[in-house]
Amino acid sequence: MTAPDLEQRADHIVEQIDRFVADGKRVVLSSSFQTQSLPLLHLVSRSRGVTVYFLDTGYHFPETLEFRDQVTEQLGLDVVSLHSATTKAAQVGPHGHLLFAEDPDYCCYLNKTAPMETVAAASDIWISGVRRDQSETRRQLDEFVVRSDGTTRYHPMLDWTEPMIADYQERHDLPRHPLDDRGYVSIGCAPCTRNIPGSDRGGRWFGMEKTECGLHVDLVR
């Protein structure tokens, strides 16, 4: 894709977000602050009135937290870190192990889905950077989805590809997550993420029959 075409797509996203804000909508963005999150975060930084939510599970790599802080300052973002209402002491399975080891689906629910659901219920527009080329589940999503609670999910990057993300990243000299150089392609919580070069999301929930945290699966047609 040529630079003008890519920038035209980017401008369209900013214009759409600006319309939401101008219409008085409560607009939020959820972001994992990975390298591939940067193009959307950069676009959102051009539109005032959007709060960015980072789901702080308590299990993130220290590098991810440092990267979040770096990007927040560099782009001038309004970032709020969300935490689970359930303490880690209460997140223990029947065999006495933390839930990420015994029940990763419930662990994701308590630390990611439940906190974000509270925010979504109080918002009009929930922006997410999911892309169709990331997984079979995401391939089935639509650009706009109205949830059962009335909140509209907006997926502006849905048809962007890996090369487009990389191209935008380079053109705007955006920073990269420090774990990229150590072979991590998709970075989640430290206990469940492995550095599997070239596998895209294959390093997430490594060794488990799990590909999604639960934030997006209810939107599949």
Side-chain angles (χ1 to χ4, degrees):
M1 175 171 289
T2 65
D5 289 340
L6 189 63
E7 294 304 322
Q8 186 175 28
R9 279 181 175 245
D11 289 343
H12 175 75
I13 293 170
V14 176
E15 290 165 3
Q16 177 63 77
I17 295 172
D18 283 342
R19 283 194 293 271
F20 288 142
V21 174
D23 288 342
K25 303 293 186 183
R26 293 164 296 181
V27 185
V28 301
L29 163 70
S30 58
S31 179
S32 59
F33 282 83
Q34 300 185 47
T35 293
Q36 295 193 358
S37 305
L38 264 293
L40 182 54
L41 288 170
H42 182 256
L43 295 176
V44 165
S45 74
R46 294 167 51 188
S47 180
R48 300 305 171 191
V50 179
T51 301
V52 180
Y53 284 91
F54 173 75
L55 294 160
D56 193 342
T57 63
Y59 296 118
H60 285 291
F61 291 94
E63 291 87 347
T64 297
L65 303 181
E66 293 168 3
F67 189 59
R68 174 202 60 192
D69 295 343
Q70 173 195 345
V71 171
T72 297
E73 181 176 358
Q74 181 172 333
L75 298 183
L77 298 168
D78 176 19
V79 177
V80 175
S81 291
L82 288 179
H83 301 85
S84 176
T86 305
T87 65
K88 290 295 182 289
Q91 295 185 32
V92 177
H95 301 293
H97 303 292
L98 287 169
L99 287 175
F100 66 75
E102 288 200 23
D103 191 342
D105 286 333
Y106 193 41
C107 184
C108 284
Y109 172 77
L110 290 179
N111 291 295
K112 299 183 74 173
T113 308
M116 194 62 205
E117 288 291 337
T118 301
V119 170
S123 305
D124 298 306
I125 308 294
W126 172 6
I127 305 172
S128 173
V130 293
R131 305 197 320 269
R132 286 200 174 101
D133 67 353
Q134 290 175 320
S135 70
E136 181 59 38
T137 300
R138 298 179 182 196
R139 193 169 291 118
Q140 302 174 57
L141 298 178
D142 293 320
E143 184 178 10
F144 294 95
V145 180
V146 179
R147 291 160 33 100
S148 58
D149 61 5
T151 303
T152 296
R153 283 287 300 266
Y154 174 39
H155 307 129
M157 315 298 284
L158 201 58
D159 289 325
W160 285 50
T161 63
E162 181 95 19
M164 291 167 63
I165 294 290
D167 189 6
Y168 189 93
Q169 183 95 9
E170 182 177 354
R171 291 179 185 279
H172 293 275
D173 194 25
L174 298 177
R176 301 184 63 82
H177 194 293
L179 290 182
D180 284 9
D181 292 337
R182 288 167 51 187
Y184 288 87
V185 180
S186 183
I187 303 164
C189 295
C192 300
T193 304
R194 298 293 181 272
N195 54 337
I196 312 293
S199 66
D200 196 9
R201 289 177 61 82
R204 299 285 291 276
W205 302 289
F206 182 73
M208 308 177 196
E209 294 183 3
K210 179 177 174 61
T211 59
E212 293 283 351
C213 63
L215 287 173
H216 317 298
V217 293
D218 63 319
L219 306 177
V220 176
R221 299 189 296 272

